[in-house]
Amino acid sequence: MSIYRNAVWFVKGLQEYTKSGYEAAAKHFAPADLDVNLSGRSFMITGCNSGIGKATAQEIANRGGTIHMVCRNKGRAEAAKDEIVERSNNQNVHVHIVDMSSARQVWEFAQNFLQSNAVHVLINNAGCMVNQRELTEEGLEKNFATNTLGTYILTTALIPALKKVEDPRVVTVSSGGMLTQKLNVDDLQFEKGTFDGTMAYAQNKRQQVILTDRWASQHKEIHFSSMHPGWADTPAVQTSMPSFHAKMQSKLRTEAMGADTSVWLAVSAAAAKQPSGLFFQDRKAVATHLPLASTRSTPQEEEKLLAALEEFALKFKPQ
């Protein structure tokens, strides 16, 4: 079945996830959707010192939004901030140094941030694809710790504050690669069998889509969405998937193309009118499963995921 899934997904990707796929979809975009003044709105964006995250921050800063950049590397984050400020002439860009793979750091950051800041929109953009199984200092597999648990803790910590502001939103940058994966709650740390970083990443991205759907049903006051940016030419793709990048480079989207739907979901009135909890690609809600791919999980499996994440989150929450 995985061979079938991967084949169907790759053919779909060649048609839809490439630069030409974006250009075809963009013919139907409403340009006025992004004609907004974001002054007075606060946006937290994780993993935004390069790639799609940086492009997202730039587009929002260009429209007057206050940006809180949550990044791991101080030097690269400060350099990205300077570039965003120079291009946008928007001084309201702030850097916060946080390792999203450290559950304790994420908790501490969120608690400290909320003492003196409001947030209207959270964009969960940070992600990693580690191709050798690696544990964090807290003993967690690194892809899971960053992509799933870090996202879960930050979102959970900010939900009470988001409920206090007007038009709150949470956008999670997932991946179409999740279409190849069925939720596996029995091996969240990828301890069984041969480790495959690409599979682990796709599994985490499936988890993010499930979380988005669950959060939407639990917290009606907030608009939740997840999205696929398409296949974009980013530093992360170059380093984590060098052979894919080498073969596909001429077909890959620009970083701005990859960021477009994330920006649209975060700022446009049109996006807020869409039902909460959906998965988007090129500004349209799309299916979260391939035909005949047997990737649907049961409510019990999803509950087990949520229970496991809550247990991990509480284990590392500062007292």
Side-chain angles (χ1 to χ4, degrees), residues 21 39 56 63 114 130 140 170 173 299:
S39 178
T56 300
R63 290 163 175 79
L114 292 175
V130 179
L140 301 173
V170 175
V173 179

Side-chain angles (χ1 to χ4, degrees), residues 149-271:
L149 185 59
T151 296
Y152 176 84
I153 291 173
L154 184 58
T155 305
T156 300
L158 295 184
I159 280 173
L162 285 162
K163 288 182 177 180
K164 296 175 182 176
V165 300
E166 185 180 350
D167 189 17
R169 308 187 194 189
V170 175
V171 180
T172 298
V173 179
S174 180
S175 168
M178 67 93 190
L179 292 168
T180 66
Q181 291 293 308
K182 180 183 187 297
L183 177 65
N184 179 5
V185 286
D186 296 322
D187 190 23
L188 293 175
Q189 303 288 315
F190 310 109
E191 296 166 292
K192 302 171 185 175
T194 305
F195 182 79
D196 181 333
T198 304
M199 182 278 291
Y201 178 82
Q203 178 69 209
N204 296 156
K205 295 299 171 176
R206 168 63 71 189
Q207 293 160 0
Q208 290 180 340
V209 169
I210 289 168
L211 285 173
T212 297
D213 176 62
R214 285 304 185 106
W215 283 327
S217 65
Q218 293 169 353
H219 307 286
K220 305 288 189 187
E221 308 96 317
I222 302 170
H223 190 277
F224 291 89
S225 56
S226 57
M227 58 79 72
H228 174 40
W231 293 342
D233 192 351
T234 65
V237 171
Q238 293 169 29
T239 55
S240 298
M241 306 173 70
S243 59
F244 173 82
H245 182 265
K247 290 174 191 168
M248 298 294 294
Q249 188 170 8
S250 64
K251 294 181 170 63
L252 298 179
R253 299 179 175 200
T254 65
E255 293 169 347
M257 289 175 179
D260 177 82
T261 296
S262 186
V263 174
W264 181 81
L265 288 166
V267 310
S268 74

